[in-house]
């Protein structure tokens, strides 16, 4: 690795870049361009580092974006790699990590859910997101949790597979509600044999693998046999299963006949903005689509955007065997090699011109165009609202990052704080944060104390993660749920943390706590209100309502988890089997806690030492 001089007096631009050419190697690698504060401006890859960097050693012949980048370059860093493929992978990793301002950057990148059929005597079928660490058969990816839930819902009707956890399965003594509504065959209590359940699992797996017609024909034949044998109840159940599978296919829309597995990726660009639409085709079925809006400039071409998208999108995701693109990329051979190495089998990239594959790309491109049109319309409206917000609250300019805070609790119990974030592109849900209130000295229901704890923790984190405010993590405006008292408490926290330059406003519900009568509070100023029909007022209400929704949802989840907690889970040595034995013997965890030592010893599978441990656990707790 070669680093250039880091003196503040180092010249910028072409002169700096030329100074590196004398020592650069001709091997493949990755280069970084940095400004005079050592912030990364651009990350690029090269088959030949010296040849690639020499292109920047002149100011003419570049796009405006690249010319601006060259002028701001004060130093460079280089990493050589063994192969060009390694350089491509390293480039995309660094772009995702460093987010340079002159690179095409994929935003809202997250993992996609799958369906997993677990390894178990009676396998569970469920949604799975993240690393495939759990053993079982995986099917996916699906474009959204909603798409997975729709398929799971219909598969439960069709194959009656359980979705309960293994601990719930082992603890059941009678069928659950899903069995009553004919969504589960109740293997937990022996309502179906292991062999018959295994046959249902095989049918579900074959259906998810693309054998839908074969499965439906088999079910139809079984239904006819049952009808002829006058087993009308069984025939009706099979009819419902066929109907459920048909509904899955109907919801999926287009199901290609000649394309078994592909990711269809289409790019549409207009006025310096871009939308990439991705359709997931698996087992000849459309498993949903998702749109992305990468950060691009006015002078970036489709080939560069598409290549950057592929590299960043598949950094943590498994590609299909075939990628159908709307635009060709420059380094197709490198991308194919990198993705093939990742998948462990050959990955092909194609830009189809005719036939069913071309129709799939055209459909995705049409969706990308429509999505970008809606996005641009929403962005224009959002920009107008942000300008109005800046004018209403006396800000220096339209805020690029708004943080809104709220608390939720019931009489002080299960207290949580919540922060939502909004900006020019709307709500930034990947930036939302929740805070479990930890203060032991807080009086139950002390909203001031809760807000102080939340903001203290938030500001300490900001000073740690973005000390020089160069990463864009600091808010341009903070909205606090509350009036003058809350504003005074926040002002005190700001002074203690030394960040008094961050604007914040308290939003109080006003007279009768009614929508439209909100009052706004700022330090040292009289409360004021906006016109009843002011769009900015509606915008603030929407921000506050979203913060309230997120806080309430977080609180409910925490409360539900606390209510579902079983104290037996905390006793060392009590696993699923012994917990089931204790619950069957006593009827409830509460009854176990009241049992005497002799009764605990009488439970089948509970040793004398374990009985003493259980007794001590509950009685030492009082």
């Amino acid at each position: 690795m070669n680093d250039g001089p880091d003196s503040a007096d180092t010249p910028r631009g072409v002169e700096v870049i030329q100074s590196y050419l004398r020592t650069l190697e001709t091997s493949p690698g990755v280069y970084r361009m940095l400004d005079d504060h050592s912030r990364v401006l651009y990350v690029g890859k090269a088959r030949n580092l010296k040849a690639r960097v020499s292109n920047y050693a002149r100011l003419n012949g570049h796009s405006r974006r690249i010319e601006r980048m060259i002028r701001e370059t004060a130093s460079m860093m280089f990493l050589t790699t063994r192969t060009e493929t390694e350089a491509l992978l390293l480039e995309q990793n660094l772009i995702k990590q460093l987010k340079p301002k002159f690179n095409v950057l994929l935003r809202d990148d997250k993992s996609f859910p799958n369906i997993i059929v677990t390894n178990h005597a009676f396998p569970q079928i469920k949604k799975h997101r993240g690393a495939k660490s759990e053993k079982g058969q995986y099917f996916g990816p699906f474009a959204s949790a909603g798409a997975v839930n729709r398929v799971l819902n219909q598969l439960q009707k069709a194959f009656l597979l359980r979705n309960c956890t293994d601990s719930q399965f082992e603890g059941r003594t009678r069928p659950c509600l899903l069995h009553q509504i004919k969504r589960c065959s109740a293997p937990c209590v022996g309502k179906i044999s292991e062999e018959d359940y295994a046959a249902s699992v095989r049918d579900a797996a074959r259906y998810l693998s693309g054998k839908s017609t074969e499965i439906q024909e088999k079910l139809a034949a079984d239904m006819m046999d049952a009808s002829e044998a006058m087993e009308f109840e069984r025939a009706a159940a099979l009819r419902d299963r066929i109907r459920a599978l048909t509904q899955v296919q109907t919801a999926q829309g287009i199901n290609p006949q000649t394309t078994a597995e592909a990711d269809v990726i289409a790019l549409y660009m207009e006025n310096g903005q871009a939308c990439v639409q991705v359709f997931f085709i698996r087992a000849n079925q459309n498993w949903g689509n998702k749109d992305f809006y990468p950060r691009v400039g006015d002078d970036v071409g489709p080939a560069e955007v598409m290549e950057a998208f592929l590299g960043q999108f598949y950094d943590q995701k498994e590609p299909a065997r075939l990628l159908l693109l709307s635009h060709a990329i420059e380094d197709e051979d490198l991308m194919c090699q990198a993705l093939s190495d990742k998948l462990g089998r050959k990955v092909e990239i194609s830009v189809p011109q005719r036939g069913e594959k071309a129709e799939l790309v055209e459909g995705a491109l049409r969706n990308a165009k429509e999505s970008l049109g809606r996005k641009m319309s929403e962005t224009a409206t959002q920009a107008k609202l942000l300008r109005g917000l800046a004018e209403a609250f006396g800000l220096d300019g339209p805020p690029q990052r708004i943080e809104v805070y709220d608390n939720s609790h019931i009489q002080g119990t299960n207290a949580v704080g919540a922060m939502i974030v909004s900006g020019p592109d709307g709500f930034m849900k990947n930036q939302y944060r929740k805070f479990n209130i930890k203060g032991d000295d807080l009086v139950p229901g002390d909203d001031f104390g809760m807000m102080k704890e939340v903001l203290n923790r938030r500001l300490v984190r900001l000073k740690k993660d973005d000390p020089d405010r160069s990463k864009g993590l600091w808010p341009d405006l903070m909205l606090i749920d509350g009036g003058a008292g809350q504003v005074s408490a926040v002002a005190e926290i700001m002074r203690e943390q030394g960040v008094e330059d961050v604007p914040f406003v308290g939003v109080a519900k006003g007279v009768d706590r009614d929508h439209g009568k909100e009052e706004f509070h700022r330090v040292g100023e009289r409360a004021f209100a906006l016109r009843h029909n002011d769009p900015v007022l509606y915008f603030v209400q929407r921000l506050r309502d979203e913060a309230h929704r997120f806080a309430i949802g977080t609180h409910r989840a925490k409360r539900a988890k606390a209510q579902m907690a079983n104290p037996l889970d905390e006793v060392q040595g009590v696993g699923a089997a012994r917990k089931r034995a204790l619950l069957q013997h006593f009827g409830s965890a509460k009854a176990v806690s009241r049992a005497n030592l002799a009764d605990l010893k009488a439970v089948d599978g509970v040793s004398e030492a374990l009985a003493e441990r259980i007794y001590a656990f509950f009685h030492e707790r009082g």
Side-chain angles (χ1 to χ4, degrees):
M1 183 171 72
N2 302 326
D3 293 350
D6 56 2
S7 169
D9 298 327
T10 301
R12 301 183 190 182
V14 170
E15 182 181 350
V16 170
I17 296 170
Q18 287 175 339
S19 68
Y20 290 95
L21 291 177
R22 292 187 297 272
T23 57
L24 265 183
E25 301 177 13
T26 58
S27 59
V30 172
Y31 57 93
R32 279 178 274 183
M33 296 177 145
L34 295 84
D35 65 11
D36 49 10
H37 295 290
S38 296
R39 291 179 295 223
V40 179
L41 299 170
Y42 184 80
V43 175
K45 69 177 183 309
R47 296 174 187 260
N48 180 323
L49 277 172
K50 187 167 188 175
R52 183 75 184 93
V53 173
S54 66
N55 290 334
Y56 297 113
R58 51 184 175 79
L59 194 55
N60 298 325
H62 300 291
S63 65
R64 292 193 307 274
R65 175 177 63 104
I66 299 302
E67 286 179 358
R68 198 162 66 249
M69 178 191 73
I70 292 172
R71 283 195 295 268
E72 292 185 26
T73 299
S75 62
M76 295 184 71
M77 298 176 66
F78 305 92
L79 280 167
T80 58
T81 58
R82 290 176 299 173
T83 66
E84 299 165 4
T85 304
E86 284 184 9
L88 171 66
L89 295 174
L90 179 58
E91 175 201 34
Q92 300 304 332
N93 283 332
L94 288 173
I95 290 172
K96 290 189 71 172
Q97 176 187 340
L98 301 172
K99 298 178 172 54
K101 71 176 184 177
F102 287 104
N103 280 98
V104 174
L105 187 64
L106 174 60
R107 298 180 289 193
D108 301 325
D109 181 26
K110 62 179 182 181
S111 63
F112 291 96
N114 290 265
I115 287 176
I116 178 175
V117 179
T118 62
N119 280 4
H120 192 276
F122 293 97
Q124 173 193 12
I125 186 168
K126 63 178 181 177
K127 177 173 62 181
H128 178 89
R129 192 191 288 271
K132 296 179 180 179
S133 54
E134 186 174 356
K135 292 182 179 179
Q137 287 181 278
Y138 287 88
F139 303 93
F142 290 80
S144 66
V148 172
N149 291 336
R150 283 192 297 273
V151 172
L152 283 176
N153 185 44
Q154 300 304 327
L155 289 181
Q156 277 186 284
K157 293 179 182 178
F159 301 108
L160 309 182
L161 303 184
R162 70 179 180 94
N163 67 353
C164 58
T165 64
D166 290 349
S167 60
Q168 289 172 329
F169 175 82
E170 307 225 350
R172 297 296 308 180
T173 58
R174 58 183 181 178
C176 67
L177 179 62
L178 286 177
H179 176 69
Q180 305 298 329
I181 62 175
K182 299 180 181 178
R183 297 287 185 91
C184 179
S185 52
C188 55
V189 292
K191 294 287 186 181
I192 184 173
S193 68
E194 187 172 338
E195 293 77 16
D196 289 343
Y197 190 86
S200 294
V201 171
R202 284 194 298 272
D203 285 346
R206 288 162 67 197
Y207 180 83
L208 289 169
S209 299
K211 307 293 192 301
S212 55
T213 303
E214 181 183 319
I215 296 298
Q216 286 178 296
E217 288 175 353
K218 175 179 175 293
L219 290 175
D222 291 344
M223 182 180 68
M224 292 301 295
D225 291 343
S227 179
E228 290 173 2
M230 301 186 71
E231 296 176 2
F232 298 119
E233 187 173 343
R234 179 166 170 264
L238 288 166
R239 177 203 62 202
D240 292 341
R241 295 173 71 176
I242 294 170
R243 186 178 296 163
L245 293 180
T246 303
Q247 287 177 350
V248 174
Q249 292 173 317
T250 303
Q252 288 170 343
I254 299 172
N255 292 311
Q257 300 300 310
T258 62
T259 307
E261 178 184 331
D263 289 343
V264 184
I265 305 173
L267 165 67
Y268 183 78
M269 300 179 66
E270 183 179 342
N271 295 332
Q273 298 189 53
C275 176
V276 178
Q277 192 80 210
V278 183
F279 279 75
F280 300 102
I281 307 297
R282 299 292 187 276
N284 291 100
Q285 302 172 55
N286 173 17
W287 282 357
N289 62 295
K290 173 77 174 174
D291 48 1
F292 298 88
Y293 301 92
R295 186 188 72 191
V296 299
D298 295 336
D299 52 3
V300 181
E304 183 179 352
V305 176
M306 183 64 80
E307 182 171 314
F309 177 84
L310 294 179
Q312 294 172 51
F313 183 72
Y314 289 116
D315 179 47
Q316 300 294 331
K317 298 179 183 66
E318 198 172 273
R321 300 187 190 199
L322 175 63
L323 307 185
L324 300 176
L325 309 184
S326 61
H327 296 80
I329 61 175
E330 183 177 342
D331 295 314
E332 182 179 314
D333 57 336
L334 286 183
M335 188 64 70
C336 284
Q337 184 62 51
L339 296 180
S340 297
D341 292 345
K342 180 181 181 64
L343 188 62
R345 57 178 184 259
K346 187 176 181 181
V347 173
E348 295 182 35
I349 293 178
S350 173
V351 184
Q353 302 299 318
R354 62 182 65 86
E356 182 185 69
K357 293 181 175 62
E359 291 175 4
L360 289 172
V361 173
E362 287 171 10
L365 188 60
R366 185 172 57 253
N367 275 270
K369 182 178 181 179
E370 292 171 357
S371 296
L372 184 60
R374 289 192 297 270
K375 183 74 172 178
M376 291 172 68
S377 176
E378 292 168 3
T379 301
T381 303
Q382 185 81 353
K384 186 176 180 180
L385 289 171
L386 291 175
R387 290 194 297 271
L389 194 67
E391 184 178 344
F393 293 155
L395 306 179
D396 294 335
Q400 300 301 298
R401 182 184 176 96
I402 305 169
E403 294 184 356
V404 190
Y405 295 85
D406 197 5
N407 299 324
S408 183
H409 60 90
I410 293 180
Q411 296 180 340
T413 62
N414 299 309
V416 295
M419 177 192 85
I420 66 122
V421 183
S422 183
D425 294 322
F427 291 120
M428 302 158 64
K429 295 195 175 183
N430 62 337
Q431 298 288 311
Y432 286 16
R433 297 292 181 267
K434 53 189 175 184
F435 303 83
N436 287 313
I437 304 298
K438 301 175 181 177
D440 297 329
D441 57 342
L442 289 179
V443 177
D446 180 6
D447 287 336
F448 287 3
M450 292 178 192
M451 184 60 69
K452 281 185 176 181
E453 179 178 331
V454 168
L455 285 178
N456 265 315
R457 286 164 58 185
R458 175 61 182 157
L459 293 172
V460 167
R461 170 62 69 177
L462 279 172
K463 290 195 289 186
K464 178 182 177 182
D465 291 347
D466 193 4
D468 60 356
R469 305 194 185 188
S470 62
K471 298 179 181 178
L473 300 180
W474 284 81
D476 301 307
L477 173 66
M478 296 167 62
L479 296 180
I480 312 297
D481 184 39
Q486 292 283 41
V487 167
S488 297
V490 172
E492 181 183 342
I493 296 166
M494 294 291 202
R495 284 193 295 272
E496 291 172 357
Q497 294 291 342
V499 289
E500 297 178 70
D501 58 331
V502 177
F504 64 94
V505 176
V507 184
K509 291 184 175 64
V511 181
D512 300 327
R513 302 178 65 82
D514 194 8
H515 257 46
K517 298 182 180 179
E518 284 83 358
E519 291 183 343
F520 301 98
H521 297 259
R522 299 193 65 175
V523 177
E525 299 179 11
R526 294 183 61 181
F528 64 96
L530 298 175
R531 294 192 324 272
H532 185 72
N533 60 349
D534 193 331
V536 174
L537 177 60
Y538 298 144
F539 180 48
V540 173
Q541 288 171 350
R542 196 163 76 245
L543 292 174
R544 190 193 59 198
D545 290 346
E546 172 68 1
H548 192 59
R549 179 203 64 80
F550 184 58
I552 289 289
T554 303
H555 166 72
R556 285 176 177 165
K558 184 178 180 181
R559 193 174 75 224
K561 184 177 180 181
Q563 290 172 344
M564 290 295 291
N566 190 319
L568 290 173
D569 294 330
E570 302 177 35
V571 183
Q572 186 180 1
V574 177
R578 289 194 177 99
K579 183 171 76 171
R580 181 171 54 186
L582 287 163
L583 293 175
Q584 286 177 340
H585 187 92
F586 293 104
S588 68
K590 195 170 195 178
V592 176
S593 71
R594 293 173 176 172
N596 60 42
L597 193 55
D599 290 337
L600 290 169
K601 291 177 182 177
V603 178
D604 186 31
V606 176
S607 65
E608 183 175 344
L610 181 57
E612 290 175 354
R613 192 180 303 138
I614 296 169
Y615 184 84
F617 175 82
F618 286 109
H619 288 77
E620 286 176 4
R621 285 164 44 133

